[in-house]
Amino acid sequence: MNFEELCLDTRILRAVTEMGFEQVSPIQAQAIPIAIEGRDLIGQAQTGTGKTAAFGIPLLQRVDPHNKKLQAIVLCPTRELAIQCANEMRKFAKFMHGIKVLPIYGGQDITKQIRSLKGGTQVIIGTPGRVIDHINRHTLKMGTVGTVVLDEADEMLNMGFREDIETILETLPDEHQTLLFSATMPRPIMEIAGNYLKNPEIIKVVKKELTVPKIEQYYYEVNPRKKSEVLSRLIDMYDPELSLIFCNTKRKVDELVDDLKGRGYFAAGLHGDMKQSQRDRVMNGFRSGKTDILVATDVAARGIDIDDVEAVFNYDVPQDDEYYVHRIGRTGRAGRTGRAFTLVVGREIYKLKDIQRYCKTKIKRQPIPSVNDITDIKVEKLMEKASDIIENENLGKMIGILEEHLDERDYSSLEMAAALLMMQMGENEMPSEVMHREEFGDTGAEPGMVRLFINIGKKQKVRIGDILGAVAGESGMEGALVGAIDMYDKFTFVEVPNEYAADVIDAMKDAKIKGKTVNVEPANKKD
Ligand code: AMP
């Protein structure tokens, strides 16, 4: 099954191709054909499996751009997910002129939302509470909705949205399609399905028994903007002779290869868009040692026999447990030591936990190596090489050259050695210490997040949007990554991804909210 077969609308196919999707993920292969037919569906799938596309692609194919009425509604548990989902859907709809996708969620100014809704929105991505709010105000008219999606249904129930969801489902016209996605299938989900879905097809990505090779596996929580920097540090630190790096899309492969080359690595990319002759050239370079880093998509890597790499890097968390096992299985062959490293951004940590559970394997969290760690390792390696040369080579000629120069210039031999060492280390090119990441302990936030305390609240006439704007604006982090914001009279708690927390605290030092200087610090768990 490929995207040409699944995207009946060529405009969506174009968008998906531009996004660099190469291979249909298992949930997409199963869900899209059913959903396109207009049938109801229950899909058991986690975030990170590509489920937004699994419902988004068929949903958009059923929307008529010439009709400006509301045609589809996606319910998500949180604001963050609603924004993420809307962004992804907008990408799929990039070439479908006339389709408007709008996220609506609590905390955002409702009058603004009403104005946007009046402009003719066909697809709404919303949190249940805010959707009800609009239904009650008659600013959302459900009579024309043809598709409704319950995304992360179990999570919505955990958050107490059952009644809201049922109320929303009651307002739908008789003729409509319901797509329900949930990571788990507890009884209340099955009850909702029983009451509101018509003869649904149940799909589940069946897990094969997977045998994970016994190699060391590590993961690093990273800021998405610093991914290539962290990757470079890991490559420098472990210095593998041959490495294989996996990305989820062709576009990422190309971008990463350019980035790595810019940093002075011998890297080459391999993906499905390349001609056979190009692929052969890349593989020859890798086998001959001209290239020591190969960056590939899962599909491209499948067709090649490179099974003896020293390290596998998952630049992107794979979309399927099976891909993870295939990827890391490329290292540690024939009794050789192998290592696998995975970079994790924000909520991808859940996907990784899922992989660990299904593959019954342990992936250890490691702190990102600091510049000093890398300097120490580089020095250690150089000193080992130097000792080897001193013991095994004849240095007479070199000593003669040095003596001549030292006499002329009046330097000590130690100074000269230090200068040569600096040249070897490329000291000037050492990355700046941007990654310093503090450990914040347990701040009572959800996994992967840090809860921050800000000494400003409702009494100062601050709104959630002000907090969101300040935190995202000052730190340069995408607003969608900001987690829960709880506002009280005199203070506010805001959750941000672990890897951004230090940046946010730092950036907020000089920031003002509503003209007031604020203090931001990690929350205590008891708060
Ligand atoms: P989701 O599970 O929908 O949250 O998707 C997780 C990530 O995978 C998103 O960044 C998607 O853009 C990406 N993605 C979804 N489907 C594919 C695919 N078939 N190939 C590559 N990336 C994908």
Side-chain angles (χ1 to χ4, degrees), residues 3 21 23-25 28 47-52 88 248-249 319:
F3 281 110
F21 289 12
Q23 187 187 22
V24 174
S25 79
Q28 291 162 357
T47 307
T49 51
K51 79 180 150 57
T52 315
E88 183 96 345
N248 286 356
T249 62
Q319 288 194 301

Side-chain angles (χ1 to χ4, degrees), residues 221-222 224 344-350 447-449 481 497-499:
E221 285 183 68
V222 298
V344 178
V345 175
R347 291 174 58 90
E348 287 173 356
I349 188 78
Y350 293 112
M449 308 287 276
L481 292 174
N498 235 329
E499 61 279 8

Side-chain angles (χ1 to χ4, degrees), residues 297-310:
T297 54
D298 293 281
V299 183
R302 202 170 297 156
I304 50 173
D305 59 336
I306 29 161
D307 289 339
D308 48 2
V309 295
E310 229 176 293

Side-chain angles (χ1 to χ4, degrees), residues 89-110:
M89 299 277 277
R90 282 180 177 155
K91 285 190 204 155
F92 296 139
K94 182 173 169 193
F95 302 108
M96 304 178 84
H97 301 295
I99 291 197
K100 205 167 142 197
V101 176
L102 187 75
I104 54 169
Y105 43 85
Q108 196 192 31
D109 184 358
I110 197 154

Side-chain angles (χ1 to χ4, degrees), residues 440-445 450-453 492-494 521-527:
F440 295 98
D442 187 359
T443 56
V450 173
R451 195 166 154 88
L452 300 177
F453 169 91
T492 303
F493 291 109
V494 54
E521 53 190 71
N524 298 319
K525 181 149 191 239
K526 62 181 168 39
D527 295 332

Side-chain angles (χ1 to χ4, degrees), residues 204-249:
K204 207 170 166 178
V205 181
V206 267
K207 311 277 175 196
K208 285 198 204 129
E209 256 317 303
L210 300 170
T211 330
V212 178
K214 290 205 173 5
I215 56 167
E216 292 171 40
Q217 300 160 65
Y218 302 106
Y219 77 90
Y220 301 83
E221 285 183 68
V222 298
N223 172 328
R225 284 177 298 139
K226 312 265 171 70
K227 269 174 117 176
S228 60
E229 166 77 26
V230 173
L231 176 70
S232 317
R233 286 193 190 188
L234 294 174
I235 295 173
D236 290 350
M237 178 142 150
Y238 290 96
D239 198 18
E241 242 168 65
L242 293 178
S243 330
L244 186 55
I245 303 179
F246 284 97
C247 296
N248 286 356
T249 62

